[in-house]
Amino acid sequence: MSFKPNATIRYTAMRLGVFVGCLVLVAVLVNLGWVPAGLGDANAAWVVLLALVLSAPLSFVLLRKQRDEMSAQIAGRVAGAKERLAANRSQEDAVDDAARVGP
C-alpha cells in the first residue's frame, strides 16, 4: 500500500518552507546591513513582514502545480459531498411522500 500525502498538507508545508527560507534570507540581509533594519525595536516585526511580502509572490509562482493539485482534490471532495447530500435529500423526499400518501 503506497502512502500519498494529502495535497493540502503538502502545499501548506511547502508554503511554510518558502516563508522560512525568505525569513532566513531577510534576517541575513538585515544583519549584513543590505536591507534597512526597521524603526527602533521593530526589527523582528520588520523582518517577518518583509519575509511575508517576499514569500507570497514566490509561492504563487513556484507552487502553482501543488496549488492546482490541492484545488482538484478539494473540488473532488466537494462534488462527492454534494452527491451524498442529493442522495440523502431524495431518500427523505421518498419517505415523506410515502408518509403523505398514507393508507
Side-chain angles (χ1 to χ4, degrees):
M1 179 170 105
S2 66
F3 175 73
K4 183 176 180 186
N6 188 348
T8 304
I9 293 172
R10 185 174 52 246
Y11 173 75
T12 303
M14 293 177 83
R15 177 84 194 261
L16 185 62
V18 170
F19 170 71
V20 169
C22 287
L23 185 66
V24 169
L25 177 68
V26 169
V28 167
L29 292 177
V30 166
N31 284 336
L32 291 176
W34 292 358
V35 174
L39 300 173
D41 294 333
N43 188 23
W46 168 253
V47 170
V48 170
L49 181 64
L50 193 55
L52 281 170
V53 168
L54 289 175
S55 69
L58 284 173
S59 295
F60 184 75
V61 172
L62 296 175
L63 302 179
R64 182 176 309 253
K65 178 183 171 191
Q66 289 77 16
R67 190 173 49 255
D68 290 343
E69 288 176 7
M70 179 181 68
S71 176
Q73 185 180 43
I74 291 171
R77 288 182 181 173
V78 168
K82 284 183 179 179
E83 289 174 7
R84 287 190 303 275
L85 184 60
N88 286 341
R89 283 185 185 155
S90 66
Q91 282 181 337
E92 290 174 4
D93 289 345
V95 170
D96 186 47
D97 290 343
R100 289 177 193 253
V101 171

